[in-house]
C-alpha cells in the first residue's frame, strides 16, 4: 500500500502529475461525451471555473506556474492501449460495448484543447472554449488539479512526522465512518468523490478502504481509472451540463420548456436499465415532474442533487404514485453534501419505500475537517460549469437558490418558463 505521507513529502519534486490519465475522470462524463458526440458534436461551448467559497483565495495559495505545468501535462495525455481496451471491451451496467466504435476512434485521438488562465481579485479565472465533446472533458481534471494544488499548498510547510500523523488521523476518521455504515442493512453506496478530492492517492486509498470495509455494500466508484485499476464497477449516469446546454440552444420559450425532456429522449435512445436515472433539479424539480412526459415515469429512478433531500425523495414518490408506478421498485440516488449522519437518516427514512442508494462525494474523499490548524484543509465549493453554448449564456436554477448561476435576466426568464416559485435557500456545503 502506498505511503501517502511520504509521497506528499516528496511533492517537492518539480512535477508529480495530479491527473495521470484521460480516464482519471468520472464515468458519467464519458457517457455524456458519447451522447454529445452523437447528437451535438458541433456545438461550441465555454466552460469556466467558479469558486463559490470566495473567502478561499486560490490565486494567493497556488503558484500560477505550477498550475500551468499541471494543465499543460494534461494536454499531453492520450488514451493508452490498455485504457482503450478496457473501455471497448469491458461490461458496464450489464452491457458490452457501451462505447461505440466511432466514439472510441475519436476519443483515442483526443488531446484536450487549450485553456485561458489569468488572476483576478485573488482568484484564478480559468476558461476553456471549443467544440462541446472536447471542452467538456476538461471539467473533472481541472477541478482535481485545483483541489490537489490547494491541498499541497496547505501541506507544504508540514514536517514528515506531522504529515504521517495527519494522514493517520484522516484514515482513522474515515474508518470510523465505515464502521458505522457497516451496520446499515441493505446499504448501497458508491464513491462520487473525484472532482473535489484531497488528492488522487487519497481517493484511491478511500476506495480501497470502502472495498475492504463495506464489501458488497460498496457498489463501485465514479472514477474510471480507479475502477479499471481496482477491478470495480464504474458508476455514473448524467449531470446538469446536458440540460443547461440544450436549454441555451433553444430558439424560444416553448423550445426552452421542452429542452430538459429532449435531453432525456436522446439518452433514452442509447441507454436502458440503471442508466435511466432522471436528474430533475436543473431548473427545479417540482416543475420538471409536473410537466414530465409519461414515458419518463417508467425510468429506473431519480438522483437527488440539491435542495432538502428528503423532500425531493417524497416528491418523487408522490409523482410515481400519480403515474401508476410502484415506488418500491424505483431507485433514489442521494448525492448532495452527504456524510454518515445524513446517509443513516435517509436510509432509515426511505428503505422499503424506494430503493435508496448513495453517491458519497467530497466528505468521503476530502474530509480533513478539524485536523489542521485553522481548519486549512476544510473542503470548499469549487465547480467548473458550461457558461455559454453557441454564444448564448447557460442557466442553472437548482432546487437550492444558492446554487443558481447565469445572467440575472436569464435566471428570471427561466424561473418564469419553468414555473419556479419560492425556494428554500440552503448552505452550499461542497
Amino acid at each position: 500500500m502506498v505511503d501517502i505521507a511520504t509521497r506528499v513529502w516528496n511533492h517537492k519534486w518539480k512535477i508529480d502529475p495530479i491527473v495521470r490519465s484521460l480516464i482519471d475522470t468520472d464515468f458519467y462524463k464519458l457517457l455524456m461525451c458519447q451522447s454529445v458526440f452523437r447528437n451535438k458534436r458541433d456545438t461550441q461551448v465555454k466552460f469556466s471555473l467558479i469558486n463559490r467559497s470566495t473567502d478561499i483565495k486560490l490565486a494567493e495559495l497556488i503558484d500560477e506556474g505550477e498550475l500551468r505545468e499541471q494543465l499543460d501535462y494534461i494536454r499531453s495525455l492520450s488514451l493508452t492501449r490498455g485504457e482503450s481496451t478496457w473501455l471497448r471491451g469491458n461490461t458496464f451496467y450489464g452491457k458490452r460495448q457501451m462505447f461505440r466504435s466511432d466514439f472510441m476512434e475519436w476519443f483515442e485521438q483526443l488531446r484536450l484543447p487549450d485553456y485561458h488562465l489569468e488572476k483576478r481579485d485573488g482568484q484564478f479565472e480559468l476558461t476553456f472554449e471549443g467544440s462541446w465533446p472536447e471542452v467538456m472533458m476538461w471539467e473533472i481534471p481541472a477541478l482535481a488539479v485545483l483541489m490537489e494544488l490547494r491541498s499541497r499548498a496547505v501541506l507544504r510547510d508540514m514536517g514528515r512526522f506531522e504529515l504521517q500523523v495527519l494522514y493517520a488521523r484522516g484514515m482513522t476518521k474515515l474508518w470510523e465512518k465505515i464502521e458505522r455504515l457497516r451496520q446499515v442493512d441493505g446499504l448501497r453506496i458508491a464513491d462520487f468523490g473525484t472532482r473535489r478530492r484531497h488528492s488522487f492517492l487519497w481517493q484511491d486509498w478511500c476506495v480501497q478502504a470502502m472495498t475492504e470495509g463495506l464489501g458488497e455494500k460498496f457498489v463501485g466508484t465514479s472514477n474510471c481509472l480507479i475502477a479499471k485499476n481496482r477491478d470495480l464497477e464504474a458508476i455514473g449516469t448524467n449531470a446538469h451540463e446536458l440540460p443547461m446546454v440544450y436549454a441555451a440552444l433553444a430558439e424560444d420559450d416553448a423550445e426552452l420548456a421542452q429542452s430538459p425532456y429532449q435531453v432525456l429522449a436522446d439518452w433514452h435512445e442509447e441507454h436502458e436499465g440503471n442508466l435511466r436515472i432522471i436528474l430533475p433539479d436543473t431548473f427545479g424539480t417540482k416543475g420538471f415532474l409536473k410537466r414530465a412526459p409519461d414515458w419518463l415515469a417508467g425510468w429506473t429512478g431519480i438522483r437527488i442533487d440539491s435542495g432538502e433531500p428528503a423532500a425531493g425523495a417524497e416528491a418523487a414518490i408522490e409523482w410515481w404514485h400519480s403515474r401508476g408506478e410502484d415506488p418500491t421498485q424505483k431507485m433514489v440516488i442521494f448525492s448532495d453534501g452527504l456524510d454518515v449522519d445524513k446517509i443513516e437518516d435517509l436510509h432509515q427514512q426511505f428503505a422499503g419505500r424506494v430503493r435508496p442508494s448513495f453517491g458519497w462525494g467530497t466528505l468521503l474523499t476530502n474530509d480533513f475537517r478539524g485536523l489542521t490548524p485553522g481548519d486549512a484543509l476544510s473542503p470548499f465549493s469549487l465547480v467548473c460549469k458550461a457558461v455559454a453554448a453557441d454564444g448564448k449564456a447557460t442557466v442553472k436554477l437548482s432546487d437550492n437558490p444558492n446554487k443558481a448561476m447565469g445572467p440575472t435576466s436569464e435566471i428570471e426568464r427561466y424561473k418564469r418558463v419553468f414555473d419556479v416559485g419560492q425556494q428554500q435557500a440552503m448552505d452550499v456545503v461542497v
Side-chain angles (χ1 to χ4, degrees), residues 173-174 177-178 180-181 189 335-346 358-365 367 369 429-430:
K173 187 175 188 179
L174 175 58
K177 294 182 183 184
I178 290 172
R180 284 177 59 184
L181 292 174
I189 191 166
S335 61
D336 182 33
L338 296 177
D339 208 2
V340 174
D341 288 345
K342 189 181 290 188
I343 293 168
E344 290 174 333
D345 290 346
L346 289 168
F358 299 88
W360 196 9
T362 307
L363 296 181
L364 166 63
T365 61
D367 188 7
R369 293 172 298 175
V429 180
V430 287

Side-chain angles (χ1 to χ4, degrees), residues 52-204:
R52 294 170 176 155
S53 304
T54 54
D55 57 315
I56 296 178
K57 305 293 185 182
L58 289 176
E60 297 174 5
L61 280 170
I62 295 169
D63 178 74
E64 182 179 341
E66 191 174 5
L67 173 56
R68 289 185 181 276
E69 278 187 328
Q70 297 290 343
L71 296 175
D72 289 342
Y73 181 79
I74 293 169
R75 292 196 66 219
S76 74
L77 293 172
S78 60
L79 281 190
T80 67
R81 182 177 298 176
E83 291 164 351
S84 178
T85 299
W86 181 73
L87 289 170
R88 283 180 178 270
N90 198 40
T91 298
F92 301 103
Y93 284 79
K95 180 179 178 180
R96 279 201 177 275
Q97 296 180 325
M98 176 76 75
F99 298 101
R100 297 161 21 142
S101 60
D102 58 343
F103 171 74
M104 285 304 306
E105 288 167 9
W106 171 85
F107 193 23
E108 286 160 353
Q109 301 302 313
L110 177 67
R111 304 293 188 280
L112 294 194
D114 207 353
Y115 59 89
H116 177 77
L117 176 67
E118 59 182 274
K119 293 180 180 180
R120 184 168 297 173
D121 299 327
Q123 301 291 352
F124 285 115
E125 288 194 354
L126 178 60
T127 57
F128 312 92
E129 296 187 61
S131 68
W132 191 6
E134 294 181 355
V135 173
M136 68 186 296
M137 294 302 295
W138 260 119
E139 178 188 356
I140 307 301
L143 290 173
V145 163
L146 267 298
M147 296 302 293
E148 185 161 346
L149 286 179
R150 184 261 195 159
S151 298
R152 292 186 184 187
V154 172
L155 301 176
R156 187 173 294 126
D157 296 327
M158 287 189 177
R160 195 164 192 164
F161 287 95
E162 192 175 7
L163 287 168
Q164 290 282 5
V165 170
L166 172 68
Y167 281 104
R169 288 173 174 166
M171 290 173 179
T172 300
K173 187 175 188 179
L174 175 58
W175 194 253
E176 288 173 348
K177 294 182 183 184
I178 290 172
E179 288 180 325
R180 284 177 59 184
L181 292 174
R182 276 180 182 163
Q183 310 307 314
V184 181
D185 290 337
L187 179 69
R188 287 176 49 86
I189 191 166
D191 158 43
F192 275 19
T194 300
R195 63 181 54 230
R196 298 191 193 100
R197 66 194 183 194
H198 170 76
S199 70
F200 172 80
L201 293 178
W202 183 250
Q203 182 184 13
D204 189 41

Side-chain angles (χ1 to χ4, degrees), residues 231-244:
D231 194 24
L232 296 168
E233 292 290 332
I235 301 291
T237 54
N238 55 70
H240 301 107
E241 174 186 340
L242 292 178
M244 286 172 66

Side-chain angles (χ1 to χ4, degrees), residues 187-348:
L187 179 69
R188 287 176 49 86
I189 191 166
D191 158 43
F192 275 19
T194 300
R195 63 181 54 230
R196 298 191 193 100
R197 66 194 183 194
H198 170 76
S199 70
F200 172 80
L201 293 178
W202 183 250
Q203 182 184 13
D204 189 41
W205 187 90
C206 291
V207 167
Q208 292 177 74
M210 294 280 280
T211 302
E212 179 177 315
L214 293 180
E216 292 183 357
K217 291 177 173 152
F218 182 59
V219 297
T221 173
S222 66
N223 187 288
C224 297
L225 182 61
I226 295 175
K228 172 183 172 291
N229 292 346
R230 302 293 173 192
D231 194 24
L232 296 168
E233 292 290 332
I235 301 291
T237 54
N238 55 70
H240 301 107
E241 174 186 340
L242 292 178
M244 286 172 66
V245 173
Y246 272 58
L249 298 175
E251 296 293 336
D252 53 36
D253 286 359
E255 194 172 320
L256 174 61
Q258 288 302 309
S259 60
Y261 310 115
Q262 184 57 53
V263 168
L264 299 180
D266 287 346
W267 194 264
H268 193 91
E269 291 295 313
E270 268 186 89
H271 302 299
E272 56 190 25
N274 284 353
L275 284 175
R276 288 185 178 171
I277 300 293
I278 303 165
L279 180 62
D281 69 319
T282 310
F283 308 121
T285 295
K286 183 178 179 180
F288 177 95
L289 295 178
K290 180 180 178 181
R291 292 185 296 273
D294 288 339
W295 56 266
L296 265 180
W299 274 31
T300 303
I302 275 179
R303 180 159 72 91
I304 309 293
D305 194 58
S306 66
E308 206 288 310
E314 294 289 0
I317 290 171
E318 183 179 341
W319 177 65
W320 281 317
H321 276 307
S322 73
R323 302 299 178 96
E325 296 286 335
D326 180 2
T328 65
Q329 302 304 307
K330 299 294 186 179
M331 184 179 295
V332 175
I333 302 172
F334 298 98
S335 61
D336 182 33
L338 296 177
D339 208 2
V340 174
D341 288 345
K342 189 181 290 188
I343 293 168
E344 290 174 333
D345 290 346
L346 289 168
H347 191 274
Q348 182 178 15

